[in-house]
């Protein structure tokens, strides 16, 4: 099918869902503008260590998608950019897109000499602030676009200029300015994804106050070879091998005071992360406190395999309190044991909180004509003609379901396009 369009389809969000929508649409000849707020594409997926249930790296599939984008002239990628406003109606939407200053241009060969001389460090948001990068950095080795970026919030600019001195390719301009783009669109797809729920809001679980309590997204980076620990599963306080780990399910989910809904993937994420621990340390012990284990359909076998491990204990019951042993740094968990009919106290090297998925669109005020439900998601039934949502912008999904949904969204978006 060949499309002839005076205005592109604009896809907001460059995670796995946005990339899939953009590619499936563009490969029919539709012009697509893909807008991503980070300096790289891939969203939450490129921060993962492995997918479930096959336990393979997401970077392989991402690399293929990046190749498809690079070779397709109908995909325009705008990174480091956010949509400031959306107006209009189907066939004639207008978007204002704010692009941060691009201090490094396409001449960059990713040689890394600028990093070697940069004197300034910043918290590494890619690793959820568990380590630092220089002010000039690349989020991860397979980042797309494949070039270094400069964090303008911490860079000293021309006051320093060490990176400019060593760049042989005239790729750095520390006086770079931001810009605002006016883009017209026939249709808009929101693929704005999700963010982990802020575990610090759940005061009883110790996140932020107990040093060896981490979230599930942090655990994913800890296990990753390109993560802050080089893939070694160690606890934050002292680098001790974390061989006894407690996972706490529904940390803030299914709770009217936090996230009232189930994010649907947290149980499977914990089962997956349990395999990280068991493979790293054959003598390790894992305990999972849960309300219900949800592993529907094709994932039931995966659950059964993990649960059959004699070093894995599943306890039905909510966690009431998490505190720290100040002498050892160990974590002490108080919880109910529903089947045992009692309250129990258990000690561990580290606790991992299975925090839920909160829609990124919730509360940012920049959704324009898009309509959110009470939880901040964008159900298709609420949207006006010409506005679509894909992946977790629509509702909580795992990666496999995001791919299916995004492909279906691309097909549905193209209906009636001339």
């Amino acid at each position: 099918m060949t499309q002839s369009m005076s205005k592109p389809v604009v896809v907001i969000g460059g995670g796995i869902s946005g990339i899939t929508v953009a590619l499936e649409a563009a490969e029919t000849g539709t012009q697509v503008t893909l807008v991503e707020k980070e300096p790289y594409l891939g969203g939450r997926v490129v921060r993962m260590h492995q997918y479930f249930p096959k336990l393979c790296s997401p970077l392989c599939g991402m690399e293929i998608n990046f190749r498809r984008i690079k070779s397709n002239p109908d995909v325009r990628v705008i990174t480091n950019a956010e949509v400031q406003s959306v107006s209009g109606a189907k066939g004639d939407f207008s978007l204002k897109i704010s692009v941060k200053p691009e201090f490094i241009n396409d001449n960059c060969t990713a040689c890394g000499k600028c990093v070697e001389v940069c004197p300034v460090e910043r918290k590494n948001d890619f690793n959820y602030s568990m380590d630092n990068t220089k002010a000039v950095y690349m989020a991860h080795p397979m980042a797309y676009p494949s070039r270094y970026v400069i964090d303008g919030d911490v860079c000293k600019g021309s006051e320093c200029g060490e990176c400019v001195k060593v760049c042989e390719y005239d790729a750095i301009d520390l006086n770079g300015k931001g810009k605002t783009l006016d883009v017209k669109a026939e249709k808009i797809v929101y693929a704005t994804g999700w963010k982990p729920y802020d575990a610090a809001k759940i005061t009883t679980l110790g996140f932020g106050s107990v040093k060896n309590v981490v979230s599930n997204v942090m655990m994913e980076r800890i296990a990753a070879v390109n993560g802050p620990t080089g893939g070694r599963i160690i606890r934050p306080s002292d680098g001790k091998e974390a061989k006894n780990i407690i996972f706490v399910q529904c940390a803030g989910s299914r709770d009217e005071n936090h996230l009232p809904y189930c994010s649907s993937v947290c149980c499977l994420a914990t089962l997956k992360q349990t395999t990280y621990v068991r493979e790293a340390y054959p003598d390790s012990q894992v305990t999972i406190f849960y309300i219900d284990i949800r592993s529907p359909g094709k994932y039931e076998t995966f659950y059964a395999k993990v649960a059959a491990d004699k070093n894995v204990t599943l306890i039905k019951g909510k966690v009431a309190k998490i505190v720290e042993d100040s002498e050892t740094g160990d974590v002490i968990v108080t919880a109910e044991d529903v089947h045992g009919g009692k309250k129990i106290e258990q000690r561990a090297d580290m606790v991992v909180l299975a925090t839920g998925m909160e829609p990124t669109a919730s509360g940012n005020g920049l959704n324009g004509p898009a309509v959110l439900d009470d939880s901040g998601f964008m159900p298709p039934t609420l949207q006006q003609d010409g506005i679509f949502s894909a992946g977790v912008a629509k509702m909580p999904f795992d990666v496999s379901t995001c791919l299916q949904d995004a492909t279906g969204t691309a097909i549905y978006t193209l209906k009636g396009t001339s």
Side-chain angles (χ1 to χ4, degrees):
M1 179 171 64
T2 300
Q3 303 289 332
S4 175
M5 299 180 63
S6 58
K7 304 184 187 74
V9 169
V10 171
V11 179
I12 305 173
I16 189 64
S17 297
I19 288 171
T20 301
V21 172
L23 283 170
E24 295 297 331
E27 287 175 358
T28 68
T30 300
Q31 292 181 339
V32 178
T33 296
L34 179 61
V35 183
E36 168 55 42
K37 67 179 180 179
E38 300 292 343
Y40 58 89
L41 298 183
R44 300 287 171 186
V45 168
V46 294
R47 301 194 198 187
M48 291 183 183
H49 174 42
Q50 292 178 341
Y51 289 134
F52 54 75
K54 293 184 178 180
L55 303 181
C56 55
S57 170
L59 295 180
C60 177
M62 275 296 180
E63 194 273 339
I64 293 170
N65 280 333
F66 295 158
R67 283 190 191 182
R68 291 168 69 192
I69 291 172
K70 190 173 182 179
S71 63
N72 194 319
D74 287 324
V75 181
R76 178 192 183 191
V77 175
I78 308 174
T79 54
N80 250 344
E82 293 192 74
V83 175
Q84 294 301 311
S85 66
V86 182
S87 59
K90 179 185 177 182
D92 191 27
F93 288 110
S94 296
L95 298 90
K96 283 194 177 296
I97 300 172
S98 175
V99 183
K100 291 181 179 178
E102 296 181 344
F103 302 110
I104 299 181
N105 59 42
D106 291 337
N107 293 344
C108 177
T109 64
C111 69
K113 290 183 179 179
C114 53
V115 180
E116 295 173 7
V117 300
C118 180
V120 179
E121 290 195 343
R122 62 185 282 277
K123 287 291 185 182
N124 186 358
D125 47 6
F126 189 81
N127 284 337
Y128 299 99
S129 298
M130 289 186 284
D131 63 352
N132 295 336
T133 73
K134 295 294 185 69
V136 55
Y137 69 99
M138 186 179 288
H140 63 96
M142 286 181 56
Y144 182 89
S146 181
R147 64 171 183 247
Y148 282 91
V149 294
I150 291 176
D151 185 338
D153 291 334
V154 299
C155 175
K156 296 181 179 180
S158 55
E159 178 186 331
C160 171
E162 293 299 317
C163 56
V164 177
K165 295 175 187 176
V166 298
C167 182
E168 301 173 17
Y169 304 100
D170 195 26
I172 303 175
D173 177 8
L174 296 178
N175 296 312
K177 304 295 183 185
K179 57 187 176 183
T180 300
L181 304 177
D182 292 310
V183 176
K184 294 288 188 179
E186 180 167 321
K187 299 176 181 179
I188 299 173
V189 179
Y190 286 86
T192 42
W194 62 279
K195 57 189 175 184
Y197 185 69
D198 182 3
K201 294 179 179 179
I202 318 163
T203 55
T204 56
L205 298 186
F207 185 81
S209 59
V210 177
K211 292 188 290 291
N212 293 315
V213 173
V214 301
S215 67
N216 48 1
V217 290
M218 294 168 70
M219 180 63 174
E220 203 68 24
R221 295 308 304 149
I222 289 171
V225 176
N226 65 343
T229 65
R232 295 183 304 130
I233 298 178
I234 57 179
R235 63 187 194 177
S237 67
D238 54 10
K240 175 186 175 183
E241 292 180 340
K243 292 186 175 183
N244 180 1
I245 293 184
I246 292 174
F247 288 88
V248 177
Q249 297 308 106
C250 297
S253 298
R254 302 172 67 185
D255 184 333
E256 63 182 12
N257 296 312
H258 299 284
L259 299 180
Y261 52 85
C262 171
S263 293
S264 78
V265 303
C266 309
C267 290
L268 287 159
T270 289
L271 295 172
K272 176 186 66 171
Q273 291 176 358
T274 295
T275 70
Y276 300 167
V277 182
R278 295 292 297 118
E279 289 174 6
Y281 307 120
D283 59 340
S284 58
Q285 298 286 331
V286 173
T287 303
I288 302 171
F289 286 97
Y290 69 95
I291 299 175
D292 303 291
I293 293 293
R294 297 186 170 183
S295 55
K298 61 184 178 181
Y299 299 124
E300 190 67 20
T301 301
F302 181 57
Y303 159 63
K305 180 180 178 180
V306 175
D309 186 331
K310 61 182 178 60
N311 285 28
V312 176
T313 303
L314 289 98
I315 300 175
K316 184 177 177 65
K318 294 197 71 172
V319 169
K321 182 173 64 173
I322 299 176
V323 297
E324 180 179 299
D325 182 328
S326 59
E327 292 185 4
T328 65
D330 289 349
V331 184
I332 302 169
V333 174
T334 302
E336 63 178 336
D337 177 354
V338 172
H339 292 154
K342 58 185 178 180
K343 182 174 76 172
I344 61 175
E345 188 175 278
Q346 193 160 323
R347 180 181 292 260
D349 297 324
M350 188 166 77
V351 167
V352 181
L353 304 179
T355 54
M357 307 166 81
E358 186 175 13
T360 301
S362 178
N364 70 13
L366 300 176
N367 305 306
V371 180
L372 310 185
D373 66 13
D374 291 342
S375 296
F377 294 102
M378 299 181 185
T381 52
L382 297 182
Q383 309 313 316
Q384 66 169 271
D385 199 13
I387 297 291
F388 304 85
S389 56
V392 184
K394 185 177 292 182
M395 64 183 295
F397 285 140
D398 62 20
V399 174
S400 177
T401 308
C402 279
L403 292 170
Q404 297 171 25
D405 179 76
T407 300
T409 300
I411 294 169
Y412 194 72
T413 301
L414 296 174
K415 286 177 62 178
T417 301
S418 58

